[in-house]
Amino acid sequence: MRPLTASRSGPRLSTPALMAQRGPLSAPAPTAQPVALSEPSRDPAPSIWSYRVQRLWLTPLFRKLLRVGLPTFVIAFCGLAYFGDEGRRAAIWDAGMEIRREIENRPEFRVNVIGVEGASDPVIAEIRAALALDLPMSSFDLDLTDLRARVEALPAVAAAELRIQTGGYLAVRITERVPALIWQTRDDIVLIDAEGHFVAALADRQLEAPLPAVAGEGADGVVDEALALYAAAAPLGEALRGFVRVGERRWDVVLNDGRRILLPADRPVQALDRALALDDVTDILARDVLRIDLRNPDRLTVQLTDPALEELRRLRALERDTQTGERSG
Amino acid sequence: MNMLYQAQRGMRAKRQEAMRRGVIAVLDIGTHKLSCLILKFDQTNVSAPAEGIGAMAGQANFRIIGANTTRSRGVRFGEIDSVQETERAIRTVVQAAQKMAQIRVDHVIVALAGGRPRSYGLDGEMTLTAGTVGDLDVAQVLSACDVPDLGHGREVLHAQPVNFSLDHRTGLADPRGHVGNRLSVDMHLLTIEAHAIETLLHCVKRCDLELAGLASAPYVSAVSSLVEDEQELGAACIDMGGGTTSLSIFMKKHMIYADTVRMGGDHVTGDISQGLHIPMAHAEKIKTRFGGVIATGMDDREIIELESETGDWHHDRRTVTRAELIGVMRPRVEEILEEVQARLAAAGFDHLPSQRIVLTGGASQIPGLDGLASRILGNQVRLGRPLRVQGLPQSTCGPAFSACVGLALFAAYPQDEWWDFENSADRLPARSLKRAVRWFRDNW
């Protein structure tokens, strides 16, 4: 056996053909890359405290507490400390409001023009006065519900529809009340619509078509009855002056010459038809009649004028004298 | 004996608690390296441990979520020699494995190879009062075993019932439910030196871990590297470690003998270092790269440089051939194997029906070892590698990790031991009150 300490570096380098071409365990050829001695490695052991800290860190509950609980606590604490001061809270509120105001006042949201449709000119003026808007103003400042209530509070307006359209245009679409009756009250003569609502004073309006006139207290509550009577009284034509509500219970038909047809509280239209039928047959209205009383449906009562009554009495007396004369003679 | 019984039962309770938590670490404290695996048990089929012989717990599925290996420090012949050094090594390996697993482990099962294990075959016999064998009868017959004088300062590490016989029937794995008059048991008792366990306990405690089980390295490496039919028919597993070479004999799926030879791969390295006048680290390196036990003509021409930094030009530029290296290594390996052969002969391995021998452990990776071993130990020798376990990194699949993997299997499928059976003394009411108090203290 060759001594272990023998140096053979010289001949080994000169005879590379004798070197092994492969090494065991698939190592590279040993002469090409001599085994290098490694430095004595540093002790990799963790200190007891780093070991404990890492174990603590790997504890699921602790980890969750630190990763979720602690930031939550810090944020909550800082937030409370910051917002605990009244002045800061107010400043933040003011800043927010300022931003909001700036956005609201942008021209995109500004309302410049009001357009009213579906109303006559005097009503339009009334509506503009009622809206009382100081234009231009921001559409955020417009309370459309309140404005609509204000418009609809006007007597001439049945319904209103308000809409902010593009281009800063506030469209107000109005449904006007249509006058259906002329109502004569003690104070004034007014127009009311089919539901009995006040529309305007008669003096303020120019009527396109003649309207039936009514009088009497409570007439505005039964406009439909009045209209039905008006329709039924069409044969009277020009002779009709109007209707008077009596005792808030029944109607009188007043003719042009002051004569009246007293209608019952119950079924007045049929009673009026009867009266008109009677007129057709007996021409009763052409006679000297002051009132035709239809209040009792079983019996028609007629009030005659004074000369007619005199004449009637004279005729009756004459008739009685003739009879007695015959008997005596 | 009672003290040990209580300590082992305490470890068993801790192991069951770790199973409930689902995470346990296994730690193989070897002379050359220290490796740690972290096991995660599936929570799906955790059931109450079935009582009796056979697999104790039903945790079939586990996977390895953390693994690390470090150079061992302060361990000689498989025993802890320098407590502080070993403690630091344990901390290193446990910390790295925890970092890989991203979870904290509190319970650890440890295998140790040293402590001069000694095997005893015990037998116990009793007459059954009731005709049918019950749990209490099994516990009583195990308690009835004659325990020999273990010697001063020795502790029982394993006490496994190997075989039950009832009247004239033998080879019963589970005698419960059988009817007979006389019940006898063969038990395998393994003792090791008490100071090895004590220093180990101290180290584990200093690392803030709780010891949930102890196993003997020859036993667990056989569990992982013997295949099932070898365990059933009989085989010897030789775990050639760094400081010790441990051997265990299995028969009918039970370990019947274990022993260690206090020589291993580190001694081979020492021989190289001594013979070639090079440092240990370098000797280890050329042993693993160029080592072997059977020289051929080719090896005469394979030249290994011996680098050193003494400053002496001639000393620093020496070379040896691979044949010379083999010439240094082979006598030591032969010595180890002959010693193993002597131990096997002393244990009566020759009389077993099956003569299979499985070589595993880090030192079994020497090229040509199987040829040399079959010349010394008999021709039924094979090289063993540990079982494939789910989640095991590729770097820890080699034969050096058979004890580690076996320990993981041991944690998942524990063998029933003597202390796993309820002793009759435990059933007294005063004892149960004490146990309730202890349970309360342990769990709150």
Side-chain angles (χ1 to χ4, degrees):
Chain A
M1 201 177 194
R2 192 166 34 77
L4 293 170
T5 52
S7 167
R8 287 184 50 187
S9 55
R12 191 191 70 218
L13 288 175
S14 62
T15 55
L18 285 177
M19 288 196 316
Q21 292 305 306
R22 58 161 185 86
L25 303 171
S26 72
T31 47
Q33 267 195 340
V35 178
L37 281 178
S38 63
E39 293 290 317
S41 59
R42 196 180 50 83
D43 184 6
S47 71
I48 185 86
W49 284 111
S50 80
Y51 174 75
R52 280 183 184 158
V53 164
Q54 204 201 5
R55 278 172 66 79
L56 188 65
W57 182 237
L58 287 175
T59 310
L61 183 67
F62 177 80
R63 209 180 163 92
K64 200 166 278 181
L65 204 70
L66 214 63
R67 286 174 54 177
V68 180
L70 193 68
T72 312
F73 173 75
V74 167
I75 289 170
F77 183 79
C78 292
L80 282 179
Y82 188 78
F83 289 109
D85 186 17
E86 180 72 37
R88 285 209 196 99
R89 254 195 332 250
I92 288 172
W93 180 255
D94 286 350
M97 284 293 108
E98 179 64 31
I99 292 168
R100 184 179 167 166
R101 212 160 25 245
E102 272 173 23
I103 293 171
E104 284 177 359
N105 289 341
R106 288 186 66 81
E108 288 85 352
F109 299 118
R110 204 174 292 153
V111 172
N112 295 315
V113 184
I114 296 179
V116 185
E117 299 168 24
S120 50
D121 288 342
V123 177
I124 287 176
E126 265 180 62
I127 288 167
R128 283 182 188 280
L131 288 175
L133 292 178
D134 182 17
L135 295 180
M137 63 188 295
S138 168
S139 60
F140 286 96
D141 295 338
L142 290 176
D143 184 0
L144 290 182
T145 318
D146 176 49
L147 290 178
R148 177 168 169 232
R150 268 154 64 185
V151 171
E152 286 187 345
L154 291 175
V157 177
E161 192 179 316
L162 277 81
R163 182 172 297 175
I164 294 171
Q165 290 174 348
T166 51
Y169 184 76
L170 176 66
V172 184
R173 191 162 300 143
I174 299 292
T175 311
E176 252 193 291
R177 292 193 193 282
V178 181
L181 288 181
I182 302 168
W183 184 30
Q184 185 175 9
T185 61
R186 282 183 203 286
D187 311 323
D188 202 0
I189 300 175
V190 299
L191 295 170
I192 58 175
D193 71 349
E195 290 161 2
H197 293 290
F198 171 80
V199 177
L202 183 62
D204 299 343
R205 285 291 180 97
Q206 211 74 36
L207 292 178
E208 289 92 5
L211 291 178
V214 294
E217 208 159 311
D220 55 341
V222 281
V223 178
D224 48 347
E225 250 176 58
L227 290 175
L229 285 176
Y230 182 68
L236 290 174
E238 289 292 313
L240 180 70
R241 177 184 263 181
F243 304 93
V244 175
R245 185 76 171 164
V246 179
E248 298 192 32
R249 165 172 75 80
R250 61 173 202 86
W251 291 99
D252 277 3
V253 182
V254 181
L255 301 182
N256 261 343
D257 44 7
R259 292 181 296 171
R260 290 187 173 215
I261 303 171
L262 280 65
L263 299 177
D266 191 26
R267 315 218 303 178
V269 178
Q270 282 80 349
L272 182 59
D273 283 345
R274 269 175 62 204
L276 293 175
L278 195 66
D279 180 39
D280 276 352
V281 175
T282 60
D283 212 8
I284 192 168
L285 290 175
R287 297 172 189 240
D288 257 353
V289 179
L290 210 53
R291 292 180 176 200
I292 302 172
D293 191 346
L294 296 165
R295 285 178 294 182
N296 186 349
D298 294 338
R299 193 195 300 176
L300 175 77
T301 314
V302 176
Q303 183 187 1
L304 300 175
T305 56
D306 285 344
L309 197 60
E310 288 286 323
E311 184 65 22
L312 184 66
R313 281 190 189 136
R314 193 184 64 79
L315 285 177
R316 285 215 179 134
L318 199 67
E319 194 176 346
R320 193 172 55 229
D321 289 349
T322 320
Q323 278 180 354
T324 51
E326 278 177 4
R327 203 175 299 150
S328 63
Chain B
M1 206 57 141
N2 202 31
M3 278 277 289
L4 168 96
Y5 187 85
Q6 293 303 333
Q8 290 278 11
R9 286 192 77 96
M11 284 203 280
R12 180 169 174 255
K14 276 176 195 160
R15 191 162 69 217
Q16 280 171 351
E17 196 206 326
M19 296 277 185
R20 273 201 301 279
R21 262 194 225 175
V23 177
I24 197 166
V26 300
L27 189 65
D28 172 30
I29 299 180
T31 314
H32 184 70
K33 62 156 181 53
L34 219 155
S35 46
C36 174
L37 301 179
I38 294 179
L39 316 182
K40 186 174 178 60
F41 291 96
D42 280 347
Q43 294 292 331
T44 49
N45 56 353
V46 170
S47 52
E51 296 205 2
I53 295 98
M56 184 183 77
Q59 286 89 1
N61 296 328
F62 69 93
R63 54 176 294 120
I64 289 165
I65 54 171
N68 195 261
T69 305
T70 186
R71 181 171 62 92
S72 184
R73 294 186 291 276
V75 182
R76 288 178 67 221
F77 300 118
E79 294 157 24
I80 295 169
D81 190 49
S82 159
V83 174
Q84 276 80 16
E85 282 289 301
T86 311
E87 180 201 321
R88 289 156 68 82
I90 293 175
R91 277 212 305 268
T92 312
V93 73
V94 168
Q95 186 178 36
Q98 278 178 349
K99 196 170 179 181
M100 178 174 166
Q102 281 297 307
I103 199 162
R104 171 194 169 132
V105 285
D106 289 322
H107 298 90
V108 65
I109 299 180
V110 179
L112 75 172
R116 299 177 191 271
R118 234 179 259 164
S119 271
Y120 298 89
L122 310 183
D123 52 353
E125 202 176 45
M126 65 170 281
T127 311
L128 292 172
T129 48
T132 317
V133 182
D135 283 333
L136 273 177
D137 297 322
V138 175
Q140 273 176 14
V141 75
L142 288 172
S143 304
C145 289
D146 296 329
V147 179
D149 183 19
L150 301 177
H152 178 67
R154 293 190 72 84
E155 287 277 11
V156 178
L157 188 60
H158 291 293
Q160 296 164 344
V162 172
N163 182 28
F164 289 96
S165 3
L166 194 59
D167 293 340
H168 301 295
R169 286 178 293 159
T170 186
L172 296 177
D174 188 350
R176 289 175 304 165
H178 286 266
V179 179
N181 291 321
R182 296 193 67 75
L183 179 69
S184 59
V185 65
D186 296 320
M187 187 156 75
H188 175 237
L189 193 76
L190 190 75
T191 68
I192 64 168
E193 286 172 357
H195 71 84
I197 296 183
E198 277 158 20
T199 45
L200 176 73
L201 264 174
H202 181 70
C203 276
V204 168
K205 202 173 188 177
R206 294 260 301 178
C207 293
D208 300 339
L209 298 168
E210 280 191 83
L211 195 64
L214 261 178
S216 161
Y219 173 56
V220 291
S221 56
V223 164
S224 75
S225 51
L226 294 185
V227 296
E228 200 161 333
D229 59 327
E230 285 169 344
Q231 286 186 13
E232 176 69 34
L233 300 173
C237 174
I238 297 169
D239 181 4
M240 305 182 72
T244 55
T245 297
S246 52
L247 58 122
S248 58
I249 302 175
F250 263 64
M251 184 81 190
K252 292 201 168 178
K253 299 199 173 167
H254 290 288
M255 177 172 69
I256 56 171
Y257 180 76
D259 205 347
T260 56
V261 175
R262 286 162 81 81
M263 272 185 290
D266 285 356
H267 296 85
V268 178
T269 310
D271 286 353
I272 295 169
S273 170
Q274 233 171 351
L276 304 181
H277 302 289
I278 52 174
M280 282 291 271
H282 191 193
E284 178 73 26
K285 215 161 255 178
I286 66 168
K287 181 187 83 173
T288 51
R289 282 178 83 169
F290 310 112
V293 285
I294 293 173
T296 60
M298 186 65 169
D299 295 328
D300 279 331
R301 286 175 291 165
E302 202 165 321
I303 291 163
I304 304 161
E305 277 201 3
L306 304 177
E307 290 271 319
S308 53
E309 291 172 343
T310 56
D312 180 353
W313 195 88
H314 288 287
H315 187 265
D316 287 356
R317 276 161 190 76
R318 290 170 297 139
T319 53
V320 289
T321 60
R322 185 166 178 237
E324 284 163 342
L325 178 67
I326 289 170
V328 175
M329 285 173 68
R330 179 169 173 142
R332 180 62 88 167
V333 176
E334 277 179 346
E335 186 189 356
I336 293 171
L337 290 175
E338 274 160 10
E339 189 71 22
V340 166
Q341 166 67 16
R343 301 289 169 97
L344 285 178
F349 183 64
D350 301 343
H351 305 296
L352 287 189
S354 170
Q355 296 288 312
R356 284 200 72 85
I357 289 175
V358 177
L359 291 172
T360 184
S364 72
Q365 297 172 94
I366 304 174
L369 180 73
D370 47 347
L372 183 65
S374 61
R375 207 172 297 167
I376 295 171
L377 299 171
N379 51 11
Q380 291 192 33
V381 174
R382 73 170 179 96
L383 293 178
R385 293 169 70 87
L387 275 179
R388 299 306 303 261
V389 175
Q390 199 189 6
L392 196 67
Q394 185 66 40
S395 59
T396 52
C397 284
F401 294 88
S402 58
C404 213
V405 174
L407 203 53
L409 294 171
F410 170 76
Y413 313 101
Q415 167 86 42
D416 269 358
E417 310 237 12
W418 172 42
W419 34 82
D420 291 337
F421 292 93
E422 291 284 327
N423 202 346
S424 53
D426 285 349
R427 302 229 163 164
L428 293 175
R431 192 57 79 92
S432 66
L433 188 69
K434 222 180 256 177
R435 282 173 63 200
V437 170
R438 196 182 66 207
W439 180 86
F440 219 77
R441 211 170 44 213
D442 285 351
N443 286 279
W444 296 90

